[in-house]
Each structure stands twice: as structure tokens, then as C-alpha cells.
Amino acid sequence: MKKKVLYLLLLAATFYSYGQKELSSDYSFTVSEPYQVYDSPKKYYFSDGNQILTVKPWKKSVVLQKFDVSNLKQISVKEYEDFPDNYVVEGMEQLQDKYYLFYSSWTGKKIAHEQLFYREINFGTGEFVGEAVKLIDIDGRLAGTFASTAGVSAPFAFGFGVTDKFSFLTSLDESKILIQYRRKPEERNDKESYDIIGTEVYDKELNKLWANEYTMPYTERRMDVEDFAVDSDGNGYLLAKVFHDDSNKDKKKRKDEEANYHMELFRLSKGSSEIEKTKIELGDKFINGISLFESFEGYMICSGFYTNGLNNELHNADGLYTFKITREGKLIDEKSYEIPLEILNQYVKNRTKKRNERKDEDGKAEFEHMKLRHLIIADDGSLLMIGEQTFMIVHYSRKRTYVTYHYNDILVSKIDASGNLAWMKKIPKRQSGKPKMGEVYDTSKTYQGGMSYSYFNANGNHYIVFLDNVKNIDLELDQIPALHSDGYGGYLTSFKINDATGAISKGSILDTREVTDKMEVYQFSNNRIVKTTEDQFVLEVYKKSKEDVLIKVDIN
């Protein structure tokens, strides 16, 4: 399920004049003096352009830090230990000029209540405002994510437990927030069980606008929730994949030319306990992923990737699609865009090129394991869609079985305001990794670590930033990138794409193994990168000796 994208910002300490070792004239960077590290499995970063606020929950305490962006000096550090023993952080959200930390607390089997609390943070002072406020109190248990909780405040210390019981989505203008939860099913047979999903909508002051619990119109077996959204009027939306029978969901027979499912949009509105449904179909195309966004025009935009009806792999992509949904639930402006063969054949082996050429003759050439990661809506109505090739591989041996997670090529596509494909670019990337012992991650989702990418836009350009293998610095168009192994250093690399022309260039920013003559850094994560100003972003990394540093990168 989609959660709001937050481009995180970073901490700082006293400014330190390290020798700089920039690798590209397009970028320069400054490193702060080392400062005390605060451990936390979930770290949140915010910036107003001048200062940075960081929120670091850990076991029974939460640390709030403030930093100055210009000189990377630490302004304040405050630690709060007045949280309940069994609290679990559910999220950190910004609503315009308001900042809220949400956490849940389970009352226990005797009382059996799930509760959601929030604490407001004053960005200016870097302090909590008043005491915790109980926002939601539910009689009974909620479903959540079975996740590793090593080092997390949870009833299961250093083991596994249920987290992420609540999901948070904000409107485009950040004036509304939708909080969603799912009751724990009473019936264990998914062919007979109907999900009960709670939806509560609040304004930016967290005044409740409306709330309702909806019993889904299809059994768990017949329905998968794909996405949630809320618009600026406070209406809720749910995208669902609805299966036509109780067979093995996405699986289909080789000769099938029609999907065993269709998509439906559920509209959830104040004052109505009924779900308004709209069926979504793309003819003979199989939708392999779909996401929902609010546009500046007042429409909801659906987008994702599709495969042609004759293909056998539903997780692959033949092309991408977009369409709009009016507030009344009507589908308009449906568009689809095929991925050209020349794009598919970039940065692949010769035998893969020949296989793609053979498949293309039958309309079967496709981009494997493609998932939509970002959709950026520009002020002029144009769209930027970013997809990433991601999958996992299970490795079997006599001694053990383990899983590796892979984040490979990126596909960036611009659709202009008229609905025409302006350009499409493939960015070469090969990343592989697996969780380390004791590392905190969601066992139901793909492990990320220091892999994947960050996205920024500045001065009419789009930037894709990720950690790469040093061997790929001078990679040519016909060369296959070398594999980057997560957790073993690498070069922070940026691809710049001109918004108007699609012209693409590449630059290497820094080497994590030798940021300066004196320093190697560790624990890189794209979740610790944030854009601070139009042409600047900051990242936080670990330098060992129980110290972190900030690295401020300027786009020249």
C-alpha cells in the first residue's frame, strides 16, 4: 500500500572543514563534524529549507533534534521518556505547518482495545506540544504487519510482532489526512471472511471530519486492496483487485486471453455508509500494478504498468497507462504507452536482446519485474512516471535457504499535458542485498536496505540518485552495469534528465569508502536523504565510533 513519499532530511553538528573529493563538477559536498549517534529502527526527517527536524524513536524514548542547514550545526537535542511500555510508532506525518508523531498502544487481552495516539511537535522549538492525545479507540484487535521488531518498542523484544496497524495518507494540499485500519478477521477461511476496513478523515488540526467502518463487498479470497487515497475535500478512495473466482489469484492458464480479475474503485464519502463502486477495465490488457493520486485539476489519477493479454507473466510490463477519475466516479482520458524494443534492449546481454527481438515479432517483448515507484504531477498537468525493476530470489542449498532482494533498472517516462509521451529513458542499475542479523524490516514486503533510489527535481531537471558500483562510473550505453552489493560501500551516483528534452547525463558525487582522506561512512539509506532547497540535498550516515555525520550536496 502506498504511503506518502517524504524526502527525508538530515541532522547536523558543528561545521567541519574536511577536504572535499568531488568526482563530478556538477556536484560539490560538505561534511559536518561527527556527532553522537542515536539509534532508532525508524528515523524521520523534515526541513523548512533553513533548519532540519529529526525524530528518532527508540525503545521507551523519542529523541528530537534540530540542525541548521547552512552550517550543519546542531541546534538542540531533546529526549522524551514518557511513552508507554508497549508503544509502537505507526508513522510521522506533516500537514502543512503541523507535525505529528502517531503511535499505537494495545491495552491487553482483558480489555482488548487498540488505541492510536498522537503527539504534536513544534518545529521551531524542536519540542513536543503538550501531552499525548488519544485519537482512535477500537474495541477488539486489528490486523497489521508481521515484522521483525528487534530494537523496536513492542511486546516482542528482539523477535517478531504485529506492527503497522494504521496507515496514513494525506491530500495533495496537506489539508486532510485519512487514517485507515483493518479489523482482525474472525473467520480464518479467506473464502468466507469479509474484511472490515475502518476509515477516519481529519483536518490538519486533527479535528475529525468523518469516520466509518466498511464491510468489503467481496471475500478476502476474491479481493486485494491495491491502494488508498484521500482528496482535498476529505473523500476517501480505495483501489481493489477483484477476482472472478476462488482460484489461485493472479495465476492464469497459458491460453487465457482475459485476466481472472478486474479493478474497481471504491469511493468513501462523509454521510454515507455505502461504497460507491466504479469498474476499471483496460480491454485486453492485464493490469500488473496500479496506484492512485490526486491531481491539481481535482481529478484522481490512476497509473501503473500493464502486460498484453497473450503474455504469461503478470508481473512484467509491456507498457504503462494512465487515466483520470472524476469526483463522480467516471473514467476519462484513458491512455496507454508501449515500451519500445530499443529501450528494452539497453544494458542487457546479447542473448536477451535476441530473445526480445523474437518476442517483439509476436508483441510479447516486455520489461521484467517492473513496479511503479513514483508519479510526479507538474503544475502544467504533465506527468513523470518512475518505475523500478525489483524482485527477490530464493536460494536453496543443503546447509541453508536464504533470500536475496534485487533492485535493478529504472524506467523514467514523461507524459506531457496533452497526454502524449514526451520521452522515455532507461537508467542502468544492478543492486542486490539481504537483511543483516538483527536488522529491522517488514517481513511481508521487499527488503530495501541501502538499495533503490531517491528522486529530486531542480532547475528544470530530474535527478535519480542511488549507490552504485565503482566499475559503473564510465558505463557506456551498450554495457551491462556491474552488480552493487548492499552494505559494501559504493559511489553515490546521479542521473540528470532534462525535463524539456529528455537529455540524460551521469555524475558521480562521492565515494562512501573515502568521503574524505580521513573518513569512510556506513549505513547508507535512501530513506536518509532529503532535498533541502531547490539545488541541494542532505544525507546522514554513520562513521563508526558511535558517531554520525551529515553530508550536504550542492547541485552546481
Side-chain angles (χ1 to χ4, degrees):
M1 184 177 295
K2 182 187 64 199
K3 296 204 178 186
K4 179 184 173 184
V5 176
L6 297 176
Y7 293 113
L8 308 157
L9 199 57
L10 302 140
L11 325 156
T14 306
F15 179 82
Y16 196 93
S17 181
Y18 278 113
Q20 297 183 2
K21 297 172 67 72
E22 292 86 21
L23 301 175
S24 171
S25 60
D26 290 337
Y27 309 93
S28 59
F29 67 86
T30 305
V31 185
S32 75
E33 182 179 292
Y35 53 89
Q36 179 182 342
V37 65
Y38 288 95
D39 291 324
S40 175
K42 294 181 179 180
K43 298 181 180 181
Y44 305 91
Y45 304 83
F46 301 89
S47 175
D48 63 357
N50 298 314
Q51 296 181 350
I52 301 165
L53 167 70
T54 75
V55 183
K56 298 182 177 181
W58 175 247
K59 295 184 178 178
K60 296 183 180 181
S61 67
V62 174
V63 173
L64 304 182
Q65 293 174 288
K66 288 290 300 297
F67 297 89
D68 188 292
V69 174
S70 62
N71 56 22
L72 300 184
K73 288 184 178 180
Q74 184 170 263
I75 299 171
S76 64
V77 180
K78 293 182 173 63
E79 185 170 0
Y80 294 82
E81 298 180 335
D82 54 344
F83 284 82
D85 291 340
N86 65 343
Y87 93 108
V88 176
V89 173
E90 296 287 342
M92 179 76 206
E93 299 293 334
Q94 179 181 355
L95 291 173
Q96 297 179 3
D97 58 348
K98 298 285 188 177
Y99 300 83
Y100 300 103
L101 174 70
F102 294 93
Y103 68 89
S104 61
S105 178
W106 165 242
T107 59
K109 294 182 179 180
K110 291 184 179 180
I111 303 176
H113 274 240
E114 299 273 15
Q115 298 174 323
L116 180 69
F117 296 82
Y118 75 85
R119 295 189 71 170
E120 183 178 353
I121 300 173
N122 183 309
F123 185 97
T125 63
E127 300 175 322
F128 281 119
V129 179
E131 302 297 323
V133 177
K134 183 163 62 176
L135 194 67
I136 298 176
D137 192 330
I138 299 165
D139 182 10
R141 298 300 303 264
L142 297 182
T145 299
F146 190 63
S148 167
T149 58
V152 181
S153 298
F156 306 85
F158 301 101
F160 292 88
V162 177
T163 63
D164 295 333
K165 299 173 184 177
F166 297 88
S167 296
F168 306 88
L169 300 112
T170 60
S171 60
L172 185 65
D173 64 0
E174 295 186 346
S175 68
K176 308 293 188 301
I177 183 169
L178 181 150
I179 302 176
Q180 176 266 327
Y181 59 85
R182 181 170 70 94
R183 285 190 174 272
K184 188 175 182 179
E186 295 183 3
E187 177 61 56
R188 302 187 67 176
N189 186 343
D190 63 2
K191 293 182 180 180
E192 299 178 4
S193 175
Y194 291 80
D195 272 336
I196 299 175
I197 294 180
T199 301
E200 303 203 4
V201 177
Y202 299 81
D203 64 17
K204 75 167 192 171
E205 307 286 344
L206 293 186
N207 298 308
K208 185 183 293 187
L209 301 178
W210 63 272
N212 208 341
E213 287 190 344
Y214 299 90
T215 299
M216 294 296 101
Y218 308 100
T219 64
E220 288 187 70
R221 183 68 168 180
R222 292 284 185 98
M223 173 185 156
D224 282 345
V225 175
E226 296 285 310
D227 208 358
F228 268 93
V230 60
D231 65 28
S232 300
D233 291 334
N235 297 306
Y237 300 84
L238 184 155
L239 272 172
K241 180 184 287 186
V242 179
F243 298 91
H244 301 159
D245 55 40
D246 290 333
S247 62
N248 193 13
K249 298 225 171 178
D250 287 347
K251 298 295 184 182
K252 68 186 186 69
K253 297 177 181 178
R254 187 174 295 273
K255 295 182 180 180
D256 285 352
E257 295 187 13
E258 293 184 0
N260 187 38
Y261 60 85
H262 65 272
M263 297 290 179
E264 289 189 10
L265 176 73
F266 298 171
R267 296 179 69 251
L268 316 173
S269 304
K270 179 180 180 180
S272 175
S273 60
E274 300 297 322
I275 298 175
E276 301 177 40
K277 297 187 295 182
T278 300
K279 190 174 182 179
I280 299 172
E281 294 182 301
L282 290 179
D284 60 352
K285 296 179 175 63
F286 291 82
I287 295 176
N288 75 353
I290 187 168
S291 293
L292 188 62
F293 303 83
E294 184 182 10
S295 74
F296 293 104
E297 301 169 309
Y299 297 113
M300 301 303 293
I301 295 179
C302 284
S303 63
F305 293 97
Y306 70 84
T307 57
N308 289 322
L310 295 177
N311 286 340
N312 297 317
E313 301 296 335
L314 295 177
H315 53 259
N316 295 341
D318 282 285
L320 50 94
Y321 67 88
T322 64
F323 55 86
K324 298 177 181 177
I325 301 173
T326 67
R327 294 291 174 89
E328 295 73 35
K330 182 180 179 181
L331 273 61
I332 60 174
D333 293 346
E334 179 184 319
K335 303 281 186 179
S336 62
Y337 313 87
E338 187 175 357
I339 302 173
L341 179 63
E342 53 266 30
I343 293 289
L344 297 177
N345 279 347
Q346 289 179 342
Y347 312 107
V348 295
K349 297 178 181 179
N350 286 329
R351 65 173 179 265
T352 303
K353 292 180 181 179
K354 293 179 181 179
R355 185 183 66 194
N356 286 339
E357 290 167 359
R358 291 194 302 269
K359 285 186 172 184
D360 190 56
E361 295 176 359
D362 298 325
K364 294 184 178 181
E366 55 195 358
F367 210 136
E368 296 182 344
H369 307 290
M370 180 56 58
K371 294 183 180 180
L372 180 67
R373 294 300 192 195
H374 290 100
L375 185 143
I376 297 91
I377 305 171
D379 293 340
D380 64 358
S382 62
L383 305 177
L384 189 79
M385 298 177 64
I386 306 176
E388 186 175 29
Q389 191 177 39
T390 178
F391 56 93
M392 69 178 186
I393 297 176
V394 181
H395 303 263
Y396 300 96
S397 69
R398 292 183 179 180
K399 294 184 178 180
R400 66 185 183 122
T401 299
Y402 65 96
V403 176
T404 56
Y405 297 88
H406 300 260
Y407 291 79
N408 289 352
D409 296 335
I410 297 171
L411 185 68
V412 186
S413 308
K414 179 184 176 180
I415 300 167
D416 65 26
S418 300
N420 301 312
L421 181 65
W423 46 259
M424 184 181 289
K425 300 294 176 179
K426 183 179 183 180
I427 294 177
K429 180 166 67 69
R430 299 290 188 277
Q431 298 172 322
S432 176
K434 58 183 179 180
K436 309 299 186 295
M437 182 66 67
E439 201 162 2
V440 178
Y441 71 102
D442 182 341
T443 58
S444 72
K445 300 177 182 178
T446 301
Y447 170 77
Q448 180 174 320
M451 300 177 287
S452 196
Y453 67 92
S454 291
Y455 166 79
F456 308 103
N457 62 79
N459 303 318
N461 297 299
H462 304 284
Y463 293 86
I464 305 292
V465 179
F466 56 89
L467 208 59
D468 201 7
N469 192 313
V470 61
K471 297 178 181 179
N472 298 325
I473 287 181
D474 299 316
L475 190 73
E476 300 293 337
L477 186 65
D478 60 348
Q479 292 180 306
I480 301 170
L483 176 68
H484 166 71
S485 296
D486 183 40
Y488 294 92
Y491 276 70
L492 188 61
T493 300
S494 174
F495 279 81
K496 178 174 71 174
I497 308 175
N498 183 272
D499 179 73
T501 66
I504 189 169
S505 61
K506 178 184 177 183
S508 294
I509 302 172
L510 59 86
D511 181 359
T512 61
R513 293 182 178 180
E514 193 180 5
V515 175
T516 70
D517 293 332
K518 304 177 181 178
M519 183 187 297
E520 179 177 0
V521 297
Y522 309 85
Q523 298 180 5
F524 172 87
S525 172
N526 284 286
N527 293 330
R528 304 177 77 179
I529 296 179
V530 67
K531 181 180 176 181
T532 51
T533 63
E534 176 65 16
D535 52 4
Q536 180 187 93
F537 64 89
V538 183
L539 64 150
E540 181 188 35
V541 285
Y542 180 56
K543 65 163 290 293
K544 290 194 173 180
S545 301
K546 297 183 179 180
E547 292 179 323
D548 281 342
V549 292
L550 293 179
I551 302 176
K552 180 170 62 177
V553 178
D554 291 294
I555 302 171
N556 301 323

